[in-house]
Amino acid sequence: MLSGLVATLPATHLAAWINVLRTVHAPDGRTESRLVAAHPGVGLGPRAGLLLSAWRSTDPQLPGCALALALEAAGRRYEQDLATHHVEIAVSGPVSEAVSVRLTASVAIGVIRAANATLLVTSYAAFGIQEIVSEIRAAADRGVRVDLVLETARASGGRLHGDCDGRTAFYELRFHPDVRLWQWANDERHGPGGRYGSMHAKVIAADRSIALLGSANLTDNAYSDNLEVGAVIRDPRAVANLVDHFTNLMHSTDGPLTRLPWQPVS
C-alpha cells in the first residue's frame, strides 16, 4: 500500500506528510486534516484518507514515527526504481488501487523542478493551476528560460472564452525577464478545405531530457477532476527532437509561432 501511495505523491507533499506523522502518536480524528493542511494540493485528500484507513485497519498502535520512517523508505525505493524507467504513466481523476500510477499534478511538478536551463510548456486551455504557476515562477527565478506556448480566446477563433485564455493563468509572470509567451499566428492556421487549426498540444519539457505529454490541459479540472492520461518520457534524444520542433517553429523565418504580448486582463 505504501509503495502505491508514494507513487502518487509529489516529493514535497510526501516530505510534509512524513513531518506530520513524526508528531502523531496514533491515528486520531485530526490526523487526516493535518496531513491535508500540511501541503495542500489537488486530488490529495482521498489519499490521506486511504493512508489513515490502512493505518487503523493494519495496526492502530503503530506510532506515527514508525509509519513516517516506512513512508520515507518507500519513497527512496520508488525514486531509485523511477531512475531506471524511460516511460512513466500519469493519470488524473479516478485512481485504481490495484495499479500504482502517479497523479498528473505530481508528475508535472517533478518535470518543472528538473529544469536547470530551459522549460517548454504548451497548452490549449489554461486557468487556475496556481501550484503549477508557482513552480514555473520558481524555475524562472533560478535562471531557467521558460517558453509558454498558449492558446488565446482571440487566436482560437472563438472556441476559448474568458478565463480559458492562457494569459490569464500566467499573468503574474508577465514582468519576469526569463518567461516568454508564444502563440500560433492566426494567418498560419488555415488548412485544406478552409479548416482552422487549434494549438492543442499539451507538453511540459525540461532541459531537452524529460517531458510530460498527455491529454490534460493546464487547468484545475484536468489535473484533479477529469479522467486524463499522460506519459513522462526520459529519453534525451526523443525529448530533444520534440523541443527542437517547437524551437524551429518559434525561430524559423516566418515561423508559425510568434511572440504574444501580455495583454491586460480585464
Side-chain angles (χ1 to χ4, degrees):
M1 182 269 178
L2 292 184
S3 61
L5 179 64
V6 299
T8 70
L9 287 175
T12 51
H13 290 78
L14 181 60
W17 283 20
I18 289 171
N19 288 335
V20 169
L21 291 170
R22 285 172 176 160
T23 68
V24 175
H25 297 293
D28 58 30
R30 295 182 57 248
T31 305
E32 182 175 341
S33 61
R34 289 182 61 192
L35 290 174
V36 173
H39 199 314
V42 295
L44 296 176
R47 283 145 190 87
L50 285 174
L51 176 62
L52 268 294
S53 177
W55 188 3
R56 292 189 182 101
S57 62
T58 302
D59 186 357
Q61 302 304 315
L62 182 73
C65 60
L67 181 57
L69 183 61
L71 272 176
E72 190 172 22
R76 289 176 179 172
R77 175 59 185 271
Y78 179 78
E79 292 301 327
Q80 292 171 354
D81 291 344
L82 194 61
T84 65
H85 297 164
H86 293 294
V87 178
E88 176 191 4
I89 301 302
V91 301
S92 300
V95 175
S96 168
E97 295 184 21
V99 181
S100 296
V101 286
R102 299 189 78 184
L103 299 177
T104 303
S106 170
V107 172
I109 290 170
V111 173
I112 294 169
R113 289 183 176 179
N116 293 310
T118 63
L119 183 66
L120 170 69
V121 180
T122 79
S123 187
Y124 174 67
F127 56 85
I129 44 96
Q130 185 56 49
E131 191 172 16
I132 300 299
V133 175
S134 297
E135 291 291 343
I136 292 175
R137 174 185 286 278
D141 285 345
R142 64 177 182 266
V144 175
R145 190 188 74 237
V146 180
D147 287 304
L148 300 173
V149 185
L150 302 172
E151 189 64 288
T152 66
R154 178 178 178 273
S156 68
R159 288 187 287 272
L160 283 179
H161 302 282
D163 287 347
C164 292
D165 188 313
R167 287 172 292 187
T168 302
F170 296 99
Y171 196 62
E172 68 179 67
L173 305 180
R174 64 194 181 280
F175 296 125
H176 203 295
D178 289 321
V179 178
R180 300 184 296 180
L181 190 62
W182 301 83
Q183 69 170 339
W184 187 7
N186 280 357
D187 57 3
E188 297 285 347
R189 294 178 175 227
H190 296 288
R195 293 188 297 272
Y196 190 83
S198 296
M199 208 309 294
H200 210 247
K202 294 98 173 180
V203 175
I204 301 177
D207 290 346
R208 298 165 55 82
S209 60
I210 177 173
L212 168 61
L213 314 179
S215 63
N217 285 301
L218 289 172
T219 69
D220 288 336
N221 283 346
Y223 273 32
S224 59
D225 303 323
N226 296 350
L227 179 55
E228 310 271 4
V229 295
V232 183
I233 300 174
R234 293 180 175 83
D235 183 330
R237 178 178 296 181
V239 175
N241 285 341
L242 172 64
V243 172
D244 286 345
H245 171 65
F246 277 92
T247 300
N248 287 335
L249 295 180
M250 293 171 186
H251 299 297
S252 61
T253 303
D254 298 324
L257 296 184
T258 60
R259 291 293 297 273
L260 176 66
W262 292 99
Q263 299 292 342
V265 179
S266 59

